[in-house]
Amino acid sequence: SPNLEVFQAFTKEAADIGAVLDRVAERRYGKAAAPLARQAWTAYSEGFREYPYGGLYSGPHHMGPSNPLYLKPTGYKATMVGLPYDDLRAWRSIYPTPVWIGQVEKVREGFARGCGIWGQVAAQTTGAVRQEVTRELGLFRTVELHFASCANQARFVAARDKLLAAADDAARAACRAELRKAVRDELATVKQLLPLAKADSRIGYESSNQYYYIPQDLLEKILCCRNILAELDRAEARD
């Protein structure tokens, strides 16, 4: 991977960061595409720099959009590098909920910017190189969608908990509106991830834990989101 290639350059020699990155980009993508690749890498790095370290192994970014939404609290605790459930307190760790969501959004935005540039990298390449650039775009987009899902899930849990504590119809209606938006955003996110996961078997896989999700899990999440929207409609009708 380019990450390991860059790492190895610094273990073998005292090297200038920019020169190493330029060399790796040019070797992988060609002279014309290398400057754009570097710009995309910078955008990804700037986004990732905003990651809210805290609940590092407990958050939903491992499962991304495959993690179910729960209209009723599960009471389950997030497990290390495992199932995050709806344990927002563990996800956000030391961060207040709005701050954690804001930082996650900044990570997503960095990857979104990078993906916009990466499309131009493909235009500067041909043949097998272009195929690899296209495959890498799927991975970068997956990261963007995972962090979009983190924000969606956190907003959902926060709004759900407010709904459970709401004291009157107006407050409950406002909370349900927040929930609907979070669910619809999440539904759109999982629909974008599904074709990427189908096209690249690396997506959803992690070597020490095997598959966090496969395409069928994403299909189940679509059904989950649709069911919650129907439940919210029924609750609204009862009120």
Side-chain angles (χ1 to χ4, degrees):
S1 73
N3 285 340
L4 287 178
E5 190 172 345
V6 169
F7 174 77
Q8 288 167 353
F10 289 100
T11 61
K12 294 176 181 178
E13 58 184 278
D16 174 74
I17 294 173
V20 168
L21 293 174
D22 288 341
R23 185 171 70 243
V24 172
E26 186 170 332
R27 188 192 67 75
R28 291 181 65 86
Y29 310 116
K31 193 167 186 176
L36 289 166
R38 290 278 279 105
Q39 290 177 37
W41 288 350
T42 296
Y44 299 140
S45 296
E46 288 174 346
F48 214 19
R49 190 173 290 119
E50 299 292 342
Y51 181 83
Y53 281 94
L56 178 62
Y57 295 108
S58 303
H61 48 278
H62 307 297
M63 293 181 67
S66 70
N67 189 43
L69 298 176
Y70 302 92
L71 198 50
K72 296 180 180 178
T74 66
Y76 294 143
K77 298 296 183 183
T79 56
M80 180 176 173
V81 199
L83 299 175
Y85 297 110
D86 52 345
D87 190 4
L88 178 57
R89 183 184 295 274
W91 302 354
R92 63 181 178 80
S93 182
I94 61 172
Y95 297 90
T97 296
V99 173
W100 190 85
I101 293 173
Q103 289 304 118
V104 166
E105 281 285 6
K106 290 176 183 177
V107 180
R108 182 201 63 77
E109 289 165 4
F111 275 85
R113 288 196 309 274
C115 287
I117 299 168
W118 201 258
Q120 301 173 56
V121 175
Q124 296 292 328
T125 59
T126 58
V129 175
R130 176 175 287 187
Q131 289 180 349
E132 182 58 25
V133 167
T134 302
R135 291 184 79 223
E136 289 185 0
L137 177 58
L139 299 180
F140 295 137
R141 284 279 292 143
T142 297
V143 178
E144 177 193 347
L145 294 170
H146 269 231
F147 282 102
S149 181
C150 287
N152 295 336
Q153 292 180 53
R155 290 190 182 101
F156 176 86
V157 175
R160 181 201 67 189
D161 292 348
K162 283 198 300 182
L163 173 62
L164 294 173
D168 54 62
D169 290 346
R172 284 191 287 272
C175 291
R176 288 195 189 103
E178 290 182 46
L179 283 171
R180 282 194 187 91
K181 184 177 187 314
V183 175
R184 288 177 180 137
D185 288 347
E186 183 71 348
L187 184 57
T189 300
V190 71
K191 285 182 176 180
Q192 292 176 72
L193 180 58
L194 181 58
L196 298 177
K198 286 182 175 180
D200 191 336
S201 61
R202 295 175 297 177
I203 292 173
Y205 184 82
E206 196 274 334
S207 58
S208 64
N209 292 287
Q210 309 305 306
Y211 275 99
Y212 275 107
Y213 60 85
I214 56 177
Q216 286 90 330
D217 296 311
L218 299 174
L219 289 169
E220 185 176 352
K221 179 62 173 291
I222 290 173
L223 295 176
C224 171
C225 289
R226 289 173 177 171
N227 182 64
I228 287 177
L229 289 172
E231 285 285 337
L232 291 171
D233 288 343
R234 286 192 287 269
E236 193 79 27
R238 287 194 297 270
D239 285 352

